[in-house]
Amino acid sequence: MIRTMVVDDDALVRLGLVDLLAQDPELTVVAEAADGLEAVELAARHRVDVALMDIRMPRLDGIAATRRLRALPDGPRVIALTTFDLDEYVYRALAAGADGFLLKDTPPAEIARAVHVVAGGQGMLHPAAARRLIDRYHRTGEPRAVAARGRLEGLTPREGEVLRELAVGRSNAEIAAVLGMRESTVKAHVSRILTGLGVGNRVQAALLARDAGVVGDGGMVGDGG
């Protein structure tokens, strides 16, 4: 059973999300919060696997709350939910540790699937908005790109190949097929890449790869596998 928390300052949105998740027999809602501060307090008292997190909220917004949740021992994974697909706050939420983001008008079945994907340790980004968002806030000529390329220098050539495939949205199984490796070996490489880059998930690794300019405009991390 995947334990979830719904965080949104709109009571009707919370109700809708709770009802949506309740339709999946493998998901259970263990907490609801009206703002980020309450979400952090509840996550400290309940074991939560995945939090659906609004971005703009009073007291503590979703970006700051995500950062605090990810800093907790065994803190929940986070999916940012937003109405704005090109909002810079979405990028900041990903940088704070969110495992992905979805628009609030995403079909219910896709939101439930995203919870399963993220609970399994993978990333999930809204496909139409992801590339526009990353292209807007990542430019290889910026100082951030120089810093990103410096962080990638610590990877082995093989890890660099795996990161390149990960960053264009390939699952572990797909990476294994492309690079002629076992899927278990790919998983081990991904784990070492995350540790070596000092990032918490595949989404952040893909963002860093985009910063460094090691992938083109072909896409972003998807559901992994």
Side-chain angles (χ1 to χ4, degrees):
M1 186 69 72
I2 300 172
R3 301 165 62 88
T4 65
M5 174 169 63
V6 175
V7 187
D8 199 296
D9 62 335
D10 188 322
L12 290 178
V13 171
R14 287 201 311 276
L15 179 61
L17 288 171
V18 169
D19 286 345
L20 183 162
L21 297 176
Q23 296 176 31
D24 189 319
E26 296 181 3
L27 305 179
T28 181
V29 178
V30 297
E32 299 178 44
D35 57 57
L37 188 59
E38 185 179 10
V40 175
E41 293 170 350
L42 289 172
R45 299 202 303 265
H46 301 276
R47 183 175 67 80
V48 179
D49 300 313
V50 178
L52 291 175
M53 178 74 68
D54 188 23
I55 297 224
R56 297 183 177 184
M57 296 181 292
R59 294 211 299 169
L60 189 69
D61 65 31
I63 297 165
T66 294
R67 190 175 294 111
R68 293 193 191 184
L69 288 177
R70 298 303 292 148
L72 292 173
D74 299 319
R77 298 182 181 276
V78 177
I79 299 173
L81 289 173
T82 179
T83 306
F84 309 100
D85 63 344
L86 288 181
D87 194 328
E88 65 175 303
Y89 295 117
V90 178
Y91 167 74
R92 290 173 57 196
L94 296 176
D99 291 86
F101 80 84
L102 295 174
L103 300 183
K104 288 184 177 179
D105 62 359
T106 298
E110 283 300 298
I111 293 178
R113 187 173 80 89
V115 173
H116 283 275
V117 168
V118 167
Q122 310 304 327
M124 176 63 75
L125 301 183
H126 185 274
R131 186 168 61 194
R132 298 200 305 273
L133 178 71
I134 303 307
D135 287 347
R136 179 176 178 180
Y137 292 104
H138 286 70
R139 295 294 184 267
T140 57
E142 295 179 353
R144 180 169 50 216
V146 176
R149 287 193 287 270
R151 292 170 68 179
L152 264 61
E153 288 177 356
L155 301 181
T156 67
R158 197 57 159 167
E159 289 168 352
E161 292 176 349
V162 171
L163 175 62
R164 194 170 295 110
E165 299 301 327
L166 180 158
V168 298
R170 298 195 196 280
S171 69
N172 287 347
E174 290 169 337
I175 295 172
V178 169
L179 299 181
M181 304 165 62
R182 293 179 181 273
E183 187 173 350
S184 59
T185 303
V186 173
K187 290 181 179 180
H189 277 306
V190 170
S191 179
R192 287 194 293 270
I193 288 168
L194 298 185
T195 299
L197 297 181
V199 297
N201 55 49
R202 294 168 73 103
V203 172
Q204 290 181 317
L207 293 176
L208 193 61
R210 297 285 299 211
D211 272 339
V214 302
V215 293
D217 294 333
M220 259 299 298
V221 65
D223 60 359

